[in-house]
Amino acid sequence: GKVFDKAKQAAEQYGGPIGGRVGAKLEAWKEPEAGLFLHGTLHVRVHRARNLLNVDTGIMGDVTDAYVRLSVDGRKGPRTETVNNSLDPEWEEDLKFSVGSKVSVVTLTVKDQDIGTLSKDLGRADIDIALVLENQINNAWLKINDQGSTLQVTAKFTDAKDEVQAPELPSAFHEWAGNRVTLFQDAHVPHDTKLPDVMIATGPYNKFHSLWETLYQAIQEAQHFIYITGWSVDTEITLLRDRPLGSEGFVKVGELLKQKADEGVAVLISVWDELMSIDNEALNKLVGVTKTG
């Protein structure tokens, strides 16, 4: 169809040595006019800045509290820690940005962190992605404004095909072997739907599960604790859509969780709180849950 044709066209245009992978894009997503199709990870090491503007009071050593935000073609990415009261801050901090689309410009914005107000822009550097791919951004000093402020960074790109397939990720939990992973075709697969077999190493696979029913059964069978994480929890929805299971019928999520709590099962819910939603640590604590972006 139309999406496939666009993916094929992109593959023919950008299927060279850079990137190497092309996926169909959603119709509503608008990619940059120019740029290179990349699939992999952008690595930026922020070293230091010099001669930053002072936007604080200047009294008793109160000067700029600076941090650096990474973005790619306007898409906001990670940031460094804040270095307080310094016009020549040192970071030596690594930032990563996963990409799977056309990329034109990498932007590093230096900001002043304030409590109770929005962060102030101190300047920014726009880097052509071609310079990153040519390894020309190596301990480079970049001009960020017309007042003599500079930022030293190193940037490189690692193609997905060259990345380690099973990297060690920082985690608060210990690694465990022998875990079970269940793949779902969709959140809800009606029982009268016939789906094509999927070929795996052991042969055709056609045991398609319904995510909602699996979640329902897991909650019903829980004996010790239920731990739910995600963007939000809608207590008014029902997990069972086209057929009831057991005697409970089409029970709502909230009622189901209350029933398990009454049975002595610990019910724990962790709602997503995105610290990158706005550039103010104090305000994030107040509105981070509802202003995720």
Side-chain angles (χ1 to χ4, degrees), residues 4-179:
F4 175 79
D5 292 339
K6 288 190 175 183
K8 181 179 179 183
Q9 181 181 1
E12 293 171 350
Q13 187 173 358
Y14 302 106
I18 296 175
R21 290 175 172 84
V22 175
K25 61 180 172 46
L26 296 177
E27 293 288 329
W29 182 73
K30 295 182 179 179
E31 59 191 358
E33 291 292 333
L36 296 170
F37 189 92
L38 302 177
H39 180 204
T41 305
L42 176 68
H43 304 263
V44 176
R45 184 170 184 85
V46 180
H47 300 293
R48 56 190 57 84
R50 291 292 179 263
N51 303 315
L52 294 183
L53 300 176
N54 179 30
V55 292
D56 286 348
T57 65
I59 301 173
M60 302 291 290
D62 178 30
V63 295
T64 294
D65 308 313
Y67 69 91
V68 179
R69 169 78 70 187
L70 168 66
S71 59
V72 175
D73 289 327
R75 291 167 288 173
K76 187 163 61 175
R79 51 160 286 182
T80 66
E81 296 292 328
T82 300
V83 176
N84 294 317
N85 300 317
S86 176
L87 301 181
D88 299 306
E90 302 271 345
W91 285 285
E92 293 298 345
E93 194 167 338
D94 294 311
L95 305 178
K96 295 181 180 180
F97 194 107
S98 297
V99 295
S101 61
K102 287 173 69 175
V103 177
S104 297
V105 178
V106 177
T107 300
L108 293 163
T109 305
V110 185
K111 292 175 171 280
D112 172 64
Q113 180 78 64
D114 280 328
I115 302 298
T117 61
L118 294 177
S119 301
K120 304 181 185 72
D121 285 357
L122 303 175
R124 77 178 201 181
D126 292 323
I127 307 170
D128 191 307
I129 189 62
L131 298 178
V132 177
L133 298 177
E134 295 167 2
N135 293 319
Q136 294 190 29
I137 309 300
N138 187 15
N139 293 314
W141 283 99
L142 309 175
K143 176 183 175 181
I144 63 171
N145 56 37
D146 293 329
Q147 285 73 44
S149 302
T150 55
L151 179 69
Q152 187 185 32
V153 301
T154 296
K156 67 177 183 177
F157 174 78
T158 304
D159 195 284
K161 67 177 181 295
D162 299 324
E163 292 182 328
V164 178
Q165 295 301 311
E168 253 186 58
L169 300 177
S171 173
F173 304 97
H174 296 293
E175 295 182 3
W176 296 89
N179 296 293

